[in-house]
Amino acid sequence: NRGALLFFALGEMFKVHSFYHYSLSAFTAVFLRAIDWAGKKYVGAPVHVPKQIALCSGKNAFQRFRTVQLLLRAGAKGLIGGDDEKGPGKPSTQKELDLQARLVDLIASITYQVFNFCRRGLFDKHKLLFTTSVVFKVLVRMKELDPEEVGFITFGKRSPNPPPLIHDMAAWCSDLAWAGAHAVQEIKVFEKLCADMESDQSKWQAWLTDERPEEKALPGDYEKITAFQKLILLRQLRPDRLTGAMRTWVGDVMGKRYVNEEAFDIFGIYRESAPE
């Protein structure tokens, strides 16, 4: 499911710019590499390196080669200790894997490797757009986000015929923000938003006119809403502050590596390249 979701997310990027086209063969190569790079959780007995080598000293050459290969792979992943004081490590093998932990590692590795593969070729102004697109698709599929709420972030709905602003509010609430507040009342948690703004004007004025409202507490019970619902309020009332708040939210949900791009690594790219 995650692989298909990511592939179609890549396929939609041509709508943003005609440069963004990705072949199935390229995606498959990244997908398989991500599987290979995913960590493996060994749950068997600890392995003591000197004893393991000693056990194979009298066996055939092939058995010795297999043992050394196993230990080298485990050592490369930092999974075995160097001495008895640090304690023996646990090598990564194909046996006795924790399946649930393995699945979590696979999903995380595939998601990030495909995401990073695409991000490298995007214009800077499109990187956050692709990131949020992936996050929305993933969380909607996991039923952690409501598609209706995602629609407000995506389209920024506005009521075409909102009720007129009262005189006192007109000084600090724009017609665009008021139309957004009226439209977002379709979501249950915001069903009384306009009435609450009218009845508690001083607090809403302070929040709405603040230089960085995304960092301030919301008035009344609205402080109890989810972080994503706070983004919806920003989208409807202060869209100029949405980009920074969205970047923070994505970092909190998916991890900082999805918003803080790694420095260009020519050797890393070389290792991922192929002669074809």
Side-chain angles (χ1 to χ4, degrees):
N1 285 343
R2 181 60 60 85
L5 183 149
L6 292 169
F7 179 70
F8 287 111
L10 292 179
E12 291 178 352
M13 289 302 293
F14 80 93
K15 300 176 183 178
V16 178
H17 199 289
S18 58
F19 286 176
Y20 304 145
H21 286 274
Y22 302 92
S23 68
L24 179 59
S25 60
F27 174 82
T28 302
V30 176
F31 184 87
L32 294 176
R33 183 172 66 242
I35 292 175
D36 187 54
W37 286 4
K40 299 176 183 179
K41 304 297 183 182
Y42 179 74
V43 295
V47 173
H48 189 279
V49 177
K51 291 180 181 178
Q52 188 69 22
I53 294 176
L55 287 174
C56 296
S57 60
K59 298 184 179 180
N60 60 54
F62 178 76
Q63 183 62 41
R64 292 197 300 273
F65 173 79
R66 289 289 294 168
T67 300
V68 171
Q69 184 185 48
L70 166 70
L71 296 174
L72 285 174
R73 285 179 176 175
K77 293 177 178 287
L79 297 173
I80 52 179
D83 51 50
D84 290 334
E85 292 181 1
K86 296 179 181 178
K90 298 181 180 181
S92 174
T93 71
Q94 294 294 333
K95 297 180 179 180
E96 299 186 77
L97 292 177
D98 184 339
L99 181 58
Q100 292 304 315
R102 174 66 171 159
L103 290 175
V104 171
D105 285 341
L106 282 172
I107 291 173
S109 179
I110 290 168
T111 302
Y112 182 71
Q113 293 303 326
V114 173
F115 163 79
N116 202 38
F117 163 74
C118 181
R119 178 172 61 179
R120 286 172 179 165
L122 298 179
F123 293 117
D124 283 343
K125 63 181 180 180
H126 296 149
K127 290 181 178 180
L128 183 60
L129 176 65
F130 175 66
T131 305
T132 53
S133 173
V134 170
V135 175
F136 288 168
K137 291 177 186 299
V138 168
L139 296 184
V140 168
R141 177 69 65 85
M142 296 171 65
K143 302 186 184 302
E144 294 185 11
L145 285 183
D146 184 344
E148 181 184 6
E149 294 184 355
V150 173
F152 274 90
I153 290 286
T154 305
F155 302 109
K157 298 179 182 179
R158 296 288 185 271
S159 177
N161 298 302
L165 273 167
I166 61 177
H167 178 72
D168 293 342
M169 291 183 63
W172 54 269
C173 183
S174 68
D175 291 336
L176 185 66
W178 184 244
H182 192 265
V184 82
Q185 291 184 129
E186 295 176 13
I187 300 176
K188 185 173 178 58
V189 72
F190 299 122
E191 60 185 356
K192 297 180 180 179
L193 178 61
C194 290
D196 290 338
M197 290 177 69
E198 291 176 340
S199 63
D200 199 357
Q201 292 188 38
S202 60
K203 291 182 179 179
W204 279 103
Q205 179 181 1
W207 183 83
L208 193 60
T209 59
D210 193 89
E211 184 178 356
R212 295 184 177 182
E214 69 276 11
E215 299 177 0
K216 304 298 181 180
L218 284 163
D221 291 338
Y222 290 96
E223 183 59 23
K224 299 177 183 178
I225 63 178
T226 67
F228 186 76
Q229 289 168 342
K230 291 180 181 179
L231 291 179
I232 295 175
L233 269 187
L234 285 172
R235 181 70 167 94
Q236 299 300 105
L237 303 180
R238 284 292 303 272
D240 59 302
R241 301 303 305 170
L242 181 63
T243 300
M246 182 66 73
R247 187 181 298 275
T248 300
W249 178 77
V250 170
D252 291 340
V253 172
M254 297 292 287
K256 298 300 181 184
R257 62 181 180 171
Y258 283 86
V259 292
N260 298 329
E261 189 169 3
E262 301 173 354
F264 181 74
D265 181 9
I266 186 63
F267 296 106
I269 294 175
Y270 177 78
R271 286 193 296 270
E272 295 177 19
S273 63
E276 294 86 355

